[in-house]
Amino acid sequence: MGVPSDDAVLIQKGNKQGEPHVITVNCPDKHGLGCDICHIILDFGLYITKGDVSTDEIWCYMVFWVVPHSSSPVVRWPSLKNRLQSLCPSCSVTFYLNDQPSNSPASPVYLLKFFCLDPKGLLHDVTQVLCELELTIQKVKVTTTPDGRVLDLFFITDNMELLHTEERQHHLCKQLDAVLGDSCISCKLRLAGPEYDCHHGISSLSPAVAEELFCFVLSDKETRLQALSSDMTNLKKANVVVDNSLSPAHTLLQIHCVDHKSLFYDILRTLKDCNIKIAFGRFSPNSKGCRDLDLFIQQKDGKKFVDPEKQNGLCSRLKVEMLHPLRVIIANRGPDTELLVANPVELSGKGRPRVFYDVTLALKALGICIFSAEIGRYSSSDREWEVYRFLLDENCGFQLSSTLARNQIVDRVRRMLMGW
């Protein structure tokens, strides 16, 4: 009948401080499973040091060596195993007889609303509590009143599916109270109503900002808003080689790229959205700041990639998704200064994990207060993007009108997002 479900995911903790933990997944296969697993690993603040993936399209075996990232002080290992376990298809015979995508109901969305004073870094502190409790931020709206108080609206879902219980709600309020303390004026939690749909989109973007965020190929011109520091220029270099000589049934992709914390996820996300099947993959350890990855792949119809046009298209798409998975710019919004971060949404509708967490952490480290913030989705060039917008408080240690200061902020935020 297959392996017991409890054995589908095994986590072997490292014996020493700094030693990688080993996550093994052994279960029936489904399209995009590797991508979904990497999404959760990234969501738990873990960095994949190396990995092996093997599948015959019926059964898959994956091993990931992971370490907690420096920005993730807490990892809930039992919860991680449960989340990974929930991804694995049924291990019974019925799975093979009925290999259909499940249409599980969407998790209910809750509105967490609190009104408080605004000490520096409070927004990140709240975000950290939500992440540690496995509550996913779907949308957020933060506004500052003229007297300096802050109204925060967090639209959240519970990965544990327990937020309807009094015990879970009490635990959330207790954790928030420990963070907010006397600065909190009021805090309420309830099921979201029609207001969730009202906050689904984002305010309009100017044509110049939209072009900068969503362009397929980023320009090197200094006049562009997304200026790169000297070492960031190295990030623009990646090699993708297509080889059809080593396997009669599969095309070999050989990838060499500068490392970042979500590299494996970004590669598998791209292949999943392109309906490309992976038979075997090996993700080598970091060597001098770079990674090598070998993938034996097929098209959706089971054929190799022999058409040069398709090969070039795939290589170009991979390079963009590996080198620039997130777009970070600073622009003027009327008299104010706005930080914008954008990332593509998976075709399945999933957004990228921990973006809001990383951005608020970077701004807290810089001592920059957030006057207002919002998350929404934006369609451009036949793709859907998740866009994060932050109006920055002018009362900080940076002259926000200065090009140098803006580049420093963008550089710090980008480094936090990429894990450098």
Side-chain angles (χ1 to χ4, degrees), residues 297-338:
I297 63 171
Q298 289 179 331
Q299 298 183 72
K300 184 180 180 180
D301 58 7
K303 296 180 180 179
K304 299 169 68 172
F305 279 83
V306 294
D307 184 346
E309 186 175 343
K310 288 185 177 180
Q311 291 179 2
N312 292 334
L314 176 59
C315 292
S316 297
R317 174 75 180 270
L318 279 169
K319 287 180 181 180
V320 170
E321 301 295 346
M322 289 188 301
L323 300 180
H324 301 289
L326 297 127
R327 312 296 172 84
V328 186
I329 65 173
I330 284 186
N332 293 324
R333 186 175 179 183
D336 300 314
T337 302
E338 182 175 47

Side-chain angles (χ1 to χ4, degrees), residues 2-178:
V3 299
S5 58
D6 287 347
D7 292 339
V9 177
L10 299 175
I11 299 179
Q12 181 181 348
K13 304 285 286 295
N15 294 322
K16 301 177 182 178
Q17 181 72 22
E19 188 173 275
H21 312 285
V22 183
I23 300 174
T24 303
V25 180
N26 184 19
C27 68
D29 193 22
K30 68 176 181 180
H31 179 66
L33 180 60
C35 169
D36 297 340
I37 288 172
C38 290
H39 185 281
I40 288 182
I41 290 175
L42 187 61
D43 196 19
F44 273 75
L46 295 169
Y47 165 73
I48 299 174
T49 62
K50 65 176 181 176
D52 285 319
V53 176
S54 179
T55 176
D56 60 1
E57 298 185 47
I58 298 176
W59 202 269
C60 72
Y61 184 76
M62 308 182 195
V63 185
F64 301 97
W65 287 259
V66 302
V67 294
H69 196 266
S70 57
S71 63
S72 307
V74 177
V75 178
R76 299 175 182 269
W77 295 102
S79 296
L80 172 61
K81 179 174 180 177
N82 290 336
R83 289 279 302 281
L84 293 174
Q85 200 86 44
S86 69
L87 286 178
C88 298
S90 170
C91 298
S92 66
V93 169
T94 55
F95 168 77
Y96 302 104
L97 299 178
N98 301 283
D99 185 11
Q100 300 295 329
S102 60
N103 294 315
S104 55
S107 299
V109 179
Y110 289 82
L111 170 60
L112 174 64
K113 177 180 179 180
F114 56 90
F115 191 52
C116 61
L117 304 176
D118 187 29
K120 287 185 178 180
L122 177 64
L123 188 57
H124 174 74
D125 295 339
V126 172
T127 302
Q128 182 171 333
V129 169
L130 299 180
C131 288
E132 291 178 355
L133 293 180
E134 296 183 63
L135 298 166
T136 299
I137 301 172
Q138 302 294 342
K139 305 292 172 190
V140 66
K141 182 71 174 180
V142 178
T143 53
T144 303
T145 62
D147 61 357
R149 301 182 182 187
V150 177
L151 175 64
D152 291 349
L153 304 178
F154 283 87
F155 296 92
I156 58 177
T157 54
D158 186 6
N159 294 321
M160 298 176 67
E161 302 286 357
L162 294 173
L163 201 51
H164 63 282
T165 65
E166 289 187 10
E167 181 181 1
R168 178 76 160 154
Q169 292 181 10
H170 175 74
H171 185 50
L172 169 60
C173 293
K174 183 179 178 180
Q175 295 296 103
L176 287 173
D177 184 63

Side-chain angles (χ1 to χ4, degrees), residues 69 232 235 258-261 414-420:
H69 196 266
M232 281 293 297
L235 180 63
V258 169
D259 191 24
H260 57 82
K261 70 178 182 181
R414 186 188 285 111
R415 288 176 183 277
M416 184 68 71
L417 289 164
M418 303 293 275
W420 294 328

Side-chain angles (χ1 to χ4, degrees), residues 362-413:
L363 293 177
K364 178 182 179 180
L366 290 169
I368 298 176
C369 287
I370 299 169
F371 185 78
S372 71
E374 62 177 318
I375 305 174
R377 296 206 170 179
Y378 189 95
S379 295
S380 175
S381 303
D382 299 324
R383 299 190 71 180
E384 188 175 30
W385 296 75
E386 205 159 42
V387 180
Y388 300 76
R389 307 183 69 170
F390 303 87
L391 280 184
L392 306 182
D393 193 329
E394 300 286 342
N395 298 317
C396 63
F398 291 85
Q399 184 65 39
L400 296 181
S401 60
S402 162
T403 301
L404 177 61
R406 291 187 173 198
N407 287 345
Q408 289 176 340
I409 295 170
V410 167
D411 189 63
R412 183 63 176 268
V413 171

Side-chain angles (χ1 to χ4, degrees), residues 213-233:
L213 280 176
F214 309 128
C215 59
F216 186 74
V217 179
L218 296 181
S219 171
D220 288 324
K221 293 181 180 179
E222 293 181 359
T223 54
R224 303 292 280 178
L225 300 174
Q226 199 161 209
L228 302 178
S229 57
S230 58
D231 62 329
M232 281 293 297
T233 305

